[in-house]
Amino acid sequence: MPSGPVHNAATLTVAATSAVMVLYKTNGDGASAMYCAMGALAGLICTPDWDLDGQNLSIKELVEHPVHFVWRVFLSPYAHICKHRSATSHAPIISTLGRLAYVALWIAPLWICKGWEFPRLQAWMLWGVFGLMLADFCHFLLDKLDELFGGRL
């Protein structure tokens, strides 16, 4: 499996190139290009490898790194539901929408308790999701290339 830094470098590349491509395809719509790039950059945090990040919770982490512990608590159910490199964690489009739904399941109760209105779907949100899907596809492609080359990426 490619290392985290390899995946991160690829995600940064996807963010930059997607911004340029969206600028070109939308005749210079900078906002759309920015939202697409930001969605791709979200792939640095909202990664297909969440299934690995939520494993092995420890008390030592809680004491030494409470934010990291909370992050792992957040990801732990996801890690149990989605096995590594399965369609639910790594398949382009499916896994992206699955992770977004997972986040929504955590946020929605808080949103409802506050009595806030849910935001309406807007074009900028779609550009962000598209950017995240591009980053996820790149992650998937790197994993497949790694398999093809015998784990040398």
Side-chain angles (χ1 to χ4, degrees):
M1 166 170 68
S3 67
V6 169
H7 281 304
N8 291 345
T11 298
L12 292 171
T13 303
V14 166
T17 55
S18 68
V20 171
M21 293 305 295
V22 170
L23 266 174
Y24 175 74
K25 286 297 199 180
T26 60
N27 295 320
D29 183 0
S32 296
M34 180 189 67
Y35 292 129
C36 185
M38 294 300 288
L41 289 173
L44 293 170
I45 297 170
C46 186
T47 168
D49 287 337
W50 268 6
D51 55 316
L52 297 177
D53 294 338
Q55 296 176 356
N56 305 320
L57 295 171
S58 72
I59 297 300
K60 181 181 177 205
E61 266 185 347
L62 175 59
V63 174
E64 293 180 4
H65 308 287
V67 172
H68 191 242
F69 183 82
V70 170
W71 181 247
R72 285 178 158 246
V73 167
F74 167 71
L75 294 179
S76 186
Y78 181 87
H80 292 313
I81 294 167
C82 302
K83 300 304 173 205
H84 190 60
R85 288 195 179 174
S86 67
T88 54
S89 73
H90 276 64
I93 300 172
I94 294 169
S95 66
T96 306
L97 295 176
R99 281 192 312 284
L100 292 173
Y102 181 78
V103 170
L105 286 173
W106 281 83
I107 293 174
L110 301 172
W111 208 274
I112 292 167
C113 287
K114 290 286 191 180
W116 296 338
E117 271 189 49
F118 285 96
R120 297 189 190 282
L121 187 63
Q122 298 176 21
W124 68 268
M125 296 173 184
L126 296 176
W127 279 114
V129 171
F130 180 68
L132 181 57
M133 286 181 176
L134 289 174
D136 285 354
F137 180 74
C138 184
H139 184 108
F140 174 80
L141 188 61
L142 281 172
D143 283 352
K144 290 300 176 189
L145 287 171
D146 188 62
E147 285 176 18
L148 184 67
F149 292 114
R152 290 179 282 184
L153 285 182

